[in-house]
Amino acid sequence: MANEKKSIDATVNELLEKAREDSVRTAWDRAAAQQPQCGFGLLGLCCRHCSMGPCNINPFGGEPSKGICGATAETIAARHFLRMTAAGAAAHSDHGRGVAETFMAAANGEVEDYKIQDVTKLYKLAIEFKVPVEGREVNEIAKDLAQIVMNEWGKTHGYMVTPARAPLKRQNLWKKLGIWPRNVDREIVEAMHRTHIGVDQDYKSLIMHAFRVALADGWGGSMLATDLQDVLFGTPTPLATEANLGVLKEDHVNIIVHGHEPLLSEMIVAAAQDPEMQQLAENVGAKGINLGGICCTANEILMRHGIPLLGNFLQQELAIVTGVVELMIVDIQCIMQSLEDVVQCYHTKLITTSEKAHIPGAEHVQFEEAHALEIAKKIVKMAIENFPNRRPNMVLIPAEKTEMVAGFSHETVEYLLGGMFRASYRPLNDNIINGKVRGLAGVVGCNNATVTPHDHYHVSMVKELIANDVLVLMTGCGAMAAAKEGLMTPEAAHKYAGKGLAEVCETVGIPPVLHLGSCVDNSRILVAATAVVKEGGLGDDISDLPVAGAAPEWMSEKAISIGHYFVGSGVFTVFGGSFPTLGSKKLTKFLFEEIEEIIGGKWAFEPDPVKAAKLMIEHIDKKRKALGIDKARERVLYDMAARRELEV
Ligand code: BF8
Ligand code: SF4
């Protein structure tokens, strides 16, 4: 297939051409080699949970209709869905645990390179976890808080604390349904138990437990990861920077951080800015050190330091194909094993750093929080020393780079809307009520080499939403797609947004598409949605709000966990690409229709991004009608039409 079909991002097509010339195989080549993919697997009808299997179910209704143990299509697909949720929740939450452990070490004074930076957020958390704050030193409070917070991963009795941030009505529903999570580890362990042969064999019960697992992630593990990262590294505030591979610099030492944990990338930022390192770079003939990020760790250092975004998931191999990357440092999650093959063709060094994530052939430099900056400097030095090995005839830096604004934490949005001294979501609620803002959408998730052209689905969906006055909140690789397309500048409001949304964005000074951070920061979307509910006038639960969620190019199990906690929070959520339960009609009907009666949110699957956006808008309008604010919007539209007539 021609390269121009692979992505809407010109850097990708240009570098795929170069990859071919350099005899480098990429995810797109391997995706082609995998065709046709197993239909049973695609439909969720393959089970390998015991050694009597693998068992496949005939999706057309003939034989085999059951696994050897008697498991039905519903059971097999639901077990698979639950295991995906558990793996996704584990990935997010184990990241969160790492942050909590570092927070505890920082509070205990055991790690000198990490300090508490957002004391206000620390106090807020302390009060929430009932840690006394009056007249106490910051570190004393932090020590007690760390001790208590760690229990969220594995307390012996009781329930998780942070889901109580949800609107009261939602909390009561979770209690009534018995899905308020107990602790992260327990819910994930129980998911593995339930999905073992011969345990939970009722698809509805499996899906309800999947809610409990997903809520432990979104309202727990991920939420605490975000909060504690903000405490340690600062809560993001808006800043301007650039996105795409054009930010690589030919005359600089280029270092890429790739993965997820800011514990590592924050230290690399500090090390790269160290004057001693800058001097070393000059000594080898470079003008300086240029740092960029791939995947969610990029979003972390973008949000807090304005470090440019190099690219999203499917650009990780291509970044190396530019031939100007001295070193790529990775930690956990979404790191392709193929990177080790790609670096063989260039001078790039690939460094793994996490005890949990090794790649055969890559050099491993174990990251330790107690010596964080020292190790980061060692890695930066390795990059500098590798600069003279660059092969000038292998270099191609694409021209594309796009200006963007990022750094929209829940707190910042509140300040921007209401002002520093009366931070409030009131102006947003008022503009939703008067119809200038039709509703809100969270568009999140990955890239997927089987969903091409890359980035197209994110960008088309988001353009359709903002053109229809829906304010879009984004995270993860989707956010990067929108940033690269130029949708994250205040000017984008005028260019792409509907009149109502554009007016609001221009008044507040925000883009129509807000970057809220990495995938664990989807918790910021939950907090923002709750703040809108609590502000008043738009119902008393998230499920009453004119909001919708989507992941048009998802691939990671984390996306399933995110989608399921969106649905579990009362949000209509539509996925593209493929959907893992389609082989079971009953289960799919349960997730796409019946679940709404139970939980207030529901799933949908629509691979066409514009049609998916229309489904989201339809849902938003349904909620506006139920709230009795649909007329307000019609009036606004009439006014606009009338104005246009006057102008003619
Ligand atoms: O956690 S969006 S490809 S990088 S999984 Fe991975 Fe998907 Fe990107 Fe971030 Ni999220
Ligand atoms: Fe087959 Fe049942 Fe074993 Fe799954 S658990 S592999 S359906 S026998």
Side-chain angles (χ1 to χ4, degrees), residues 209-222:
H209 183 65
F211 278 129
R212 191 152 46 170
V213 175
L215 295 176
D217 173 3
W219 291 89
S222 278

Side-chain angles (χ1 to χ4, degrees), residues 2 34 49 99 154 306 352 409 438 457 472 503 527 529 558 633:
Q34 285 289 340
H49 291 199
V99 181
T352 54
S409 56
R438 192 173 194 156
Y457 300 80
V472 176
E503 190 188 315
V527 174
K558 288 184 282 173
R633 184 167 167 79

Side-chain angles (χ1 to χ4, degrees), residues 92 259-260 295-296 313 333-334 445-447 476-478 519 555-556 558 562:
H92 281 148
H260 281 79
C295 281
C296 281
F313 175 70
Q333 298 171 22
C334 305
C446 324
N447 304 137
C477 290
C519 283
M555 64 86 200
S556 154
K558 288 184 282 173
I562 294 165

Side-chain angles (χ1 to χ4, degrees), residues 424-444:
S424 153
Y425 274 71
R426 194 69 249 158
L428 177 62
N429 282 35
D430 287 345
N431 280 307
I432 294 175
I433 293 166
N434 72 24
K436 283 182 191 157
V437 176
R438 192 173 194 156
L440 308 175
V443 180
V444 309

Side-chain angles (χ1 to χ4, degrees), residues 132-194:
V133 291
E134 265 315 296
R136 302 183 72 200
E137 293 287 322
V138 168
N139 265 41
E140 290 304 309
I141 299 168
K143 266 190 216 171
D144 287 356
L145 177 63
Q147 207 70 46
I148 297 177
V149 156
M150 290 301 297
N151 289 336
E152 294 299 276
W153 277 264
K155 62 181 92 178
T156 50
H157 59 275
Y159 294 87
M160 291 183 79
V161 173
T162 40
R165 292 179 189 182
L168 200 59
K169 197 170 168 193
R170 182 99 331 230
Q171 293 181 40
N172 289 336
L173 181 63
W174 291 339
K175 280 184 199 155
K176 194 180 112 204
L177 295 171
I179 54 170
W180 191 303
R182 291 156 295 186
N183 64 70
V184 168
D185 293 352
R186 178 165 185 175
E187 303 312 353
I188 293 168
V189 168
E190 188 171 314
M192 298 310 285
H193 179 191
R194 282 176 183 246

